[in-house]
Amino acid sequence: MSGGTAPKSAATVEVTHVHGERITVRAAATGVDLFSYVYLPDPVAFEARKPYVHPLRTLTGRLVSGYRPSDHRWHKGLQMTASHLSGQNFWGGHSYVHGKGYLGLHELIGSMRHDGFDAIDVCADELSFTERLTWVENGGAEWARERRGVRVHAVDPGTGSYAVDWSIRLTNVREDGEALRFGSPTTAGREMAGYTGLQWRGPRDFTGGRVFGPETEGELMGTQGPWLAFTGEHDDVDGHSTLMFAHAPGNAHAIHASHWFVRAEPIPTVAFSWAFFEEFALDAGESFEYRYRVVVADGAWDREQVATRLKGLAW
């Protein structure tokens, strides 16, 4: 395989690591590349250089992530973001300034630098890795150290689904001793635009898809809940896919309560927003942790199917 190592075979997955670029998980039975974690630095600094997952596909090969769409070039599959962080933008693209709207302030765009992997493990039916990253503000100062964990597992042809777990431990390492203040466009003055945190951008054909939670459907922007599901219908093929977004139980006791940032129109997107309505501060030397799960499934799942599948997956 050009530029990389030979695939590592397992019972249900094959893993290929193209060193310095990406890690890809393939379904052994079907040959479908399910998940590609890209850590090669982006060429465009304005898009906030950072690792991301794209493409993300179902077990039958249906694409369920969007990459650099024309409306937001900095949206890249599944990625960790921070739209408002002590005056910097680690989301990418235009920055919201109260009273002025969205401005192309290149000097505010930060980045998340890949520093290396502490571990990459392939077991019988899963991939897991631990990555070290540094969050760097636009002037070059190192503001935070991140320890990121990603796990691809629970590949289940019977239900047509698999799971991606994502954890973050972030530590404030600012040399000036200042706190890191996490916010969003809503904390800066724009109503119901609390995007920040782990974000998924769906493919354009998911626009107008169905969004629902354990007890509610449709208008879930700014709400809270243990999980949220998004079902979209694909172009070209006759079929739907469903993504499930779930909090680990420990997130209820995290540094700050999370809310859902979710839209089906005009774009399909979901974020685990950790600072939707209120800012929170991380003091120098202090850390916070969150853990998330994204389940990718073929088909238009209903509320009972989603709840059953999520309940059956241990943390």
Side-chain angles (χ1 to χ4, degrees):
M1 188 161 296
S2 178
T5 61
K8 299 179 181 179
S9 297
T12 58
V13 299
E14 298 172 344
V15 177
T16 300
H17 185 187
V18 179
H19 293 279
E21 182 178 331
R22 70 185 63 217
I23 299 175
T24 300
V25 178
R26 175 174 296 175
T30 62
V32 171
D33 287 345
L34 304 175
F35 165 103
S36 189
Y37 185 84
V38 181
Y39 62 93
L40 179 73
D42 283 341
V44 183
F46 186 64
E47 296 173 9
R49 294 176 173 130
K50 55 188 175 293
Y52 58 87
V53 174
H54 177 82
L56 189 66
R57 294 188 177 94
T58 70
L59 290 180
T60 60
R62 293 170 181 171
L63 183 66
V64 292
S65 60
Y67 176 75
R68 298 192 75 244
S70 58
D71 50 80
H72 296 81
R73 293 296 188 195
W74 49 95
H75 286 189
K76 297 174 182 178
L78 182 67
Q79 60 180 345
M80 182 58 66
T81 71
S83 58
H84 288 238
L85 176 54
S86 295
Q88 291 273 296
N89 175 356
F90 288 80
W91 172 283
H94 297 89
S95 301
Y96 179 78
V97 178
H98 189 52
K100 298 182 179 180
Y102 285 96
L103 304 176
L105 303 176
H106 291 250
E107 67 275 15
L108 298 186
I109 306 297
S111 62
M112 300 177 191
R113 185 184 71 215
H114 166 81
D115 291 333
F117 293 105
D118 287 336
I120 302 177
D121 297 312
V122 181
C123 300
D125 56 359
E126 68 177 62
L127 159 77
S128 63
F129 62 80
T130 304
E131 181 185 17
R132 287 176 284 107
L133 303 101
T134 300
W135 293 31
V136 183
E137 60 87 35
N138 189 269
E142 297 182 352
W143 274 10
R145 296 270 193 271
E146 180 188 346
R147 182 179 174 87
R148 178 177 299 181
V150 176
R151 179 183 176 217
V152 182
H153 66 107
V155 177
D156 182 7
T159 61
S161 67
Y162 68 95
V164 177
D165 291 358
W166 189 303
S167 66
I168 176 175
R169 177 179 175 83
L170 196 72
T171 303
N172 180 346
V173 296
R174 289 183 66 161
E175 291 186 355
D176 59 10
E178 292 292 322
L180 289 173
R181 301 197 64 86
F182 292 81
S184 68
T186 295
T187 68
R190 185 188 175 205
E191 292 186 2
M192 302 307 286
Y195 54 81
T196 194
L198 184 64
Q199 183 243 1
W200 164 79
R201 172 61 192 254
R204 195 170 299 280
D205 51 9
F206 271 38
T207 303
R210 180 192 177 202
V211 178
F212 60 96
E215 299 177 353
T216 54
E217 184 161 346
E219 294 300 322
L220 286 148
M221 177 71 84
T223 66
Q224 295 177 296
W227 61 261
L228 177 150
F230 194 117
T231 295
E233 184 174 11
H234 294 277
D235 289 334
D236 189 41
V237 297
D238 295 326
H240 296 74
S241 297
T242 301
L243 283 89
M244 300 153 242
F245 304 87
H247 284 278
N251 286 4
H253 309 290
I255 187 172
H256 198 259
S258 296
H259 296 74
W260 295 115
F261 177 85
V262 54
R263 285 180 176 152
E265 297 277 2
I267 63 172
T269 185
V270 175
F272 297 84
S273 177
W274 53 31
F276 197 113
F277 295 108
E278 299 175 336
E279 286 190 348
F280 70 89
L282 182 66
D283 291 334
E286 296 298 311
S287 304
F288 70 68
E289 298 182 55
Y290 289 92
R291 295 169 61 208
Y292 309 106
R293 174 166 289 157
V294 179
V295 177
V296 179
D298 280 301
W301 286 33
D302 60 27
R303 184 171 286 111
E304 182 178 357
Q305 286 176 293
V306 171
T308 299
R309 183 66 172 131
L310 291 176
K311 185 178 180 180
L313 293 172
W315 285 94

